[in-house]
């Protein structure tokens, strides 16, 4: 499973866009990039998944450059409720599917 | 609510006691995972079931840990002779055909 590196923490104000970049230099050809969000005392929640270029859903956008050695999760116009830990994961779809989490990025949104 | 449920949500026990946790996955998901999470860290994989078959176990799962999924539906995780180092959040997840894992709220274990 490819190792990922992401910032330990990020601060933002309400209404701003938050961009979290994750490095995964050893990503394999079959690996997808997945982001999860976790609030205190809750299990992680799937946010978005992508393989290349750009993916957008109602919650976030995921930007993946051509070399796929990094990816950026973009949270538009954050609110206080977006305060959480965000995890970047990289893995193969043909594996057992176990997820390898790092320490994640603690995002704190203030008024 | 048709999400993943876990019971109990909190468990406090004394060192040396046995504890058992239950996970009820989303009904149509045949794949089930257990993870452990300690403070400030991301979840760590413990074990994986496809239907009733336990297909993979992490080295974190010592002999004191056992997991079952007898009918391919709910799963239990038992810890025997608990130690203080077992204190953690135990998370269960189930997976759909798109590879997305849906996590339960977890069981927080405190070993005194």
């Amino acid at each position: 499973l490819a190792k990922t590196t992401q910032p330990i923490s990020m601060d933002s104000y309400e209404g701003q866009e938050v961009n979290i970049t994750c490095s995964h230099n050893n990503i394999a050809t079959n690996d997808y990039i997945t982001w999860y969000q976790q609030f205190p005392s809750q299990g992680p929640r799937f946010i978005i998944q992508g393989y290349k270029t750009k993916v957008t859903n109602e919650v976030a956008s995921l930007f993946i450059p051509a070399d796929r050695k990094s990816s950026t999760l973009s949270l538009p116009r954050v609110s206080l409720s977006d305060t959480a830990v965000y995890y970047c994961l990289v893995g193969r779809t043909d594996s057992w599917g176990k997820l390898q989490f790092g320490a994640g990025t603690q995002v704190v949104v203030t008024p | 609510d048709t999400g993943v449920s876990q019971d109990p949500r909190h468990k406090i026990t004394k060192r040396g006691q046995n504890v058992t946790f239950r996970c009820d996955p989303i009904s149509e998901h045949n794949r089930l995972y257990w993870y452990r999470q300690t403070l400030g860290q991301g979840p760590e994989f413990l074990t994986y079931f496809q239907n009733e078959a336990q297909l993979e176990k992490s080295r974190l799962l010592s002999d004191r840990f056992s997991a079952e999924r007898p009918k391919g539906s709910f799963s239990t995780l038992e810890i025997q002779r608990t130690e203080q180092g077992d204190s953690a959040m135990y998370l269960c997840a189930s997976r759909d055909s798109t590879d997305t894992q849906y996590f339960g709220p977890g069981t927080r274990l405190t070993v005194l």
Side-chain angles (χ1 to χ4, degrees):
Chain A
L1 297 172
K3 182 179 177 180
T4 60
T5 302
Q6 52 184 122
I8 295 173
S9 64
M10 298 183 70
D11 295 329
S12 180
Y13 293 103
E14 277 188 298
Q16 290 189 331
E17 179 181 80
V18 172
N19 295 306
I20 309 171
T21 296
C22 178
S23 297
H24 28 79
N25 292 321
N26 297 322
I27 189 169
T29 303
N30 294 333
D31 286 346
Y32 274 69
I33 300 155
T34 310
W35 286 81
Y36 279 79
Q37 173 192 56
Q38 187 176 27
F39 300 112
S41 298
Q42 293 187 27
R45 181 177 75 107
F46 171 86
I47 299 177
I48 197 166
Q49 183 180 69
Y51 183 79
K52 62 180 180 180
T53 63
K54 177 184 174 181
V55 179
T56 297
N57 62 22
E58 65 278 5
V59 176
S61 295
L62 179 59
F63 298 92
I64 306 168
D67 66 5
R68 303 198 331 120
K69 293 184 183 300
S70 67
S71 58
T72 299
L73 175 73
S74 180
L75 306 172
R77 298 179 300 282
V78 293
S79 64
L80 298 178
S81 63
D82 292 315
T83 293
V85 178
Y86 293 82
Y87 297 97
C88 166
L89 296 92
V90 174
R92 296 175 177 81
T93 58
D94 60 350
S95 70
W96 294 129
K98 65 183 178 186
L99 300 176
Q100 186 172 15
F101 289 83
T105 297
Q106 172 69 64
V107 172
V108 177
V109 181
T110 54
Chain B
D1 187 350
T2 57
V4 178
S5 62
Q6 293 187 244
D7 183 70
R9 293 292 309 276
H10 304 274
K11 178 70 175 178
I12 299 174
T13 191
K14 294 182 179 179
R15 189 175 53 186
Q17 297 295 306
N18 300 342
V19 295
T20 301
F21 310 140
R22 176 180 171 124
C23 170
D24 286 273
I26 296 172
S27 59
E28 60 268 26
H29 292 182
N30 62 359
R31 303 181 192 210
L32 185 147
Y33 303 79
W34 284 97
Y35 293 83
R36 181 175 69 184
Q37 184 174 27
T38 54
L39 197 61
Q41 301 298 316
E44 298 173 290
F45 169 78
L46 291 178
T47 190
Y48 161 61
F49 288 87
Q50 184 165 331
N51 298 312
E52 66 276 10
Q54 187 175 18
L55 298 183
E56 188 172 1
K57 292 167 55 174
S58 163
R59 282 173 289 182
L60 293 175
L61 217 64
S62 75
D63 291 344
R64 296 184 297 105
F65 288 70
S66 62
E68 294 182 343
R69 195 182 182 198
K71 298 182 180 179
S73 56
F74 73 92
S75 175
T76 58
L77 177 68
E78 181 183 15
I79 308 174
Q80 296 182 327
R81 305 181 302 281
T82 53
E83 302 173 354
Q84 288 185 325
D86 298 330
S87 295
M89 174 79 85
Y90 290 84
L91 293 161
C92 174
S94 67
R95 173 182 164 188
D96 65 10
S97 58
T98 65
D99 298 338
T100 300
Q101 290 191 23
Y102 296 86
F103 284 81
T107 294
R108 180 164 296 285
L109 173 66
T110 301
V111 181
L112 302 176

